Amino acid sequence: MNNQILLQSFLSSEIMGQVFLFGSIILIMYFFMIRPQQKKQKETKNFLESIKKGDTAVTIGGIHGKIYSIEGDTVTLELDKGMKLKVEKSAISADFTKKATGTK
């Protein structure tokens, strides 16, 4: 009788340990992987919404230019006088644009 009670309490504590370990792994993944990615996506979205005519921009492909016009999801970059390039708004890199202009 005593052996069964001890065995049940041992199994119960083992299960609780596994639940604690699994919960800890999920918590670590959230703080080190999911949360920073969500924060970066939010910053990128805010950056793309705040760009305006005259700002300098860098595309994901590495093309540098000045924003000539914005029409919905399309941005026209002026690469040189008279040379314009139409790209999607999502093709503008927030990270590289910040580095190129020197702001963080």
Side-chain angles (χ1 to χ4, degrees):
M1 180 80 168
N2 286 338
N3 289 339
Q4 288 178 345
I5 293 172
L6 290 174
L7 186 60
Q8 286 176 351
S9 67
F10 175 72
L11 290 176
S12 173
S13 66
E14 186 177 313
I15 291 172
M16 290 302 291
Q18 288 178 352
V19 168
F20 177 74
L21 180 65
F22 187 67
S24 300
I25 291 171
I26 289 174
L27 194 64
I28 289 169
M29 284 181 60
Y30 174 76
F31 280 108
F32 286 108
M33 294 174 69
I34 298 169
R35 190 167 176 244
Q37 183 66 27
Q38 288 175 341
K39 187 177 178 183
K40 185 175 179 178
Q41 285 176 343
K42 186 177 179 182
E43 287 175 358
T44 301
K45 181 182 174 197
N46 290 338
F47 169 77
L48 290 176
E49 290 174 352
S50 69
I51 59 174
K52 59 190 179 299
K53 183 177 178 179
D55 289 348
T56 58
V58 181
T59 65
I60 293 172
I63 300 172
H64 294 248
K66 230 178 217 182
I67 296 178
Y68 183 77
S69 68
I70 301 172
E71 301 167 1
D73 287 339
T74 306
V75 175
T76 305
L77 293 177
E78 185 175 31
L79 306 178
D80 199 13
K81 292 188 187 245
M83 184 174 200
K84 295 175 185 74
L85 178 68
K86 232 180 221 191
V87 296
E88 289 294 314
K89 211 179 224 187
S90 60
I92 297 176
S93 170
D95 295 337
F96 291 121
T97 299
K98 289 178 186 176
K99 289 178 188 176
T101 59
T103 59
K104 268 200 166 187

